[in-house]
Amino acid sequence: MHDALPSCFGEYGVQVVDTSAGSNKVTQNLVTCLYQTKLAVPSDSFFVAVVSDGEVVLLLGDMYSEAYKKTKARPASIEAILVSRSEHVFGKKYHSTKAQFEEGGKAHDIVIECQISPSSEPRMYIRVDREIVVQVKRLAWKFRGNQTIIVDGNPVEVFWDVHNWLFNPRVGHAVFMFQTCLSSDKPWLKEVAACSSVLQWPGTYSFKDKETSGPSGFSLVLYAWKND
């Protein structure tokens, strides 16, 4: 098996052996765990801290002093970086959110507008800070697709799957993914292209390899539900 990468959602990883050309190299395990919880009042006056070996490796919220006092731990030598986010958004014609595509960068307004009417051809627009960056006119034929846009001078790959909006509106939702491009060859794009639906897309390939020196990437997945 060549260029094998395990994708595990759960508590245990697996080892994959690359046997191509007589190789006996064992790749490093990769485990991804996703948790969902509810914080008391979705914005301020709280903290969530993860401590490992006496270091606060992850700190969320705004009560920094209280977090270090309660945990009796020191700040991490390397700050945690947000590599992916998924969000459910609701709307009738417009679906909006905010996204920061690079660490310490500007938070951008993202608005998805979908025009579906029996009297006209369906269309879709995606705006970043009020500027149209994606325009799909023949949406009935292009309900799945992708396009590269430029944000903060950097390429961002945008994928969409609005099949449910057009053909199954009562029970389904559309899915959008914004993925920063880490390199010109975009090896993760081959995995996405092989999937028939956004629902099968890999979560993210933006984890930074410890042997590389490139910047970490970021992926935003939006599940867009239409209100009646």
Side-chain angles (χ1 to χ4, degrees), residues 17-121:
V17 180
D18 188 349
T19 58
S20 59
S23 172
N24 194 31
K25 181 177 65 175
V26 179
T27 61
Q28 186 177 3
N29 290 3
L30 173 63
V31 179
T32 302
C33 300
L34 303 178
Y35 297 88
Q36 178 177 333
T37 187
K38 183 178 181 181
L39 298 176
V41 196
S43 59
D44 55 17
S45 299
F46 77 95
F47 75 86
V48 176
V50 178
V51 179
S52 176
D53 293 332
E55 287 189 352
V56 179
V57 295
L58 177 63
L59 179 56
L60 305 177
D62 57 354
M63 300 176 63
Y64 302 111
S65 299
E66 187 71 11
Y68 290 116
K69 179 180 178 181
K70 290 285 187 180
T71 60
K72 298 180 180 179
R74 62 185 181 277
S77 55
I78 300 177
E79 278 192 34
I81 298 175
L82 180 64
V83 295
S84 67
R85 189 177 98 232
S86 63
E87 182 178 349
H88 290 259
V89 291
F90 297 81
K92 186 173 183 180
K93 183 179 178 181
Y94 300 96
H95 297 77
S96 60
T97 186
K98 286 183 175 288
Q100 188 175 323
F101 291 102
E102 60 180 359
E103 189 70 14
K106 176 185 176 182
H108 297 277
D109 293 312
I110 297 177
V111 176
I112 299 168
E113 176 185 356
C114 189
Q115 300 178 355
I116 300 178
S117 171
S119 60
S120 61
E121 185 180 77

Side-chain angles (χ1 to χ4, degrees), residues 174-213:
V175 186
F176 299 84
M177 181 169 77
F178 298 79
Q179 169 74 59
T180 57
C181 302
L182 300 183
S183 61
S184 58
D185 56 354
K186 295 182 259 187
W188 51 269
L189 185 55
K190 298 177 182 178
E191 295 278 346
V192 172
C195 299
S196 61
S197 169
V198 179
L199 300 177
Q200 300 172 340
W201 287 346
T204 179
Y205 283 97
S206 43
F207 294 100
K208 180 179 178 181
D209 192 290
K210 61 182 178 181
E211 297 180 358
T212 63
S213 58

Side-chain angles (χ1 to χ4, degrees), residues 119-137:
S119 60
S120 61
E121 185 180 77
R123 296 187 177 190
M124 183 183 71
Y125 304 91
I126 299 178
R127 291 181 173 86
V128 176
D129 296 334
R130 299 185 179 181
E131 179 182 353
I132 296 178
V133 293
V134 175
Q135 181 178 204
V136 184
K137 293 184 177 180

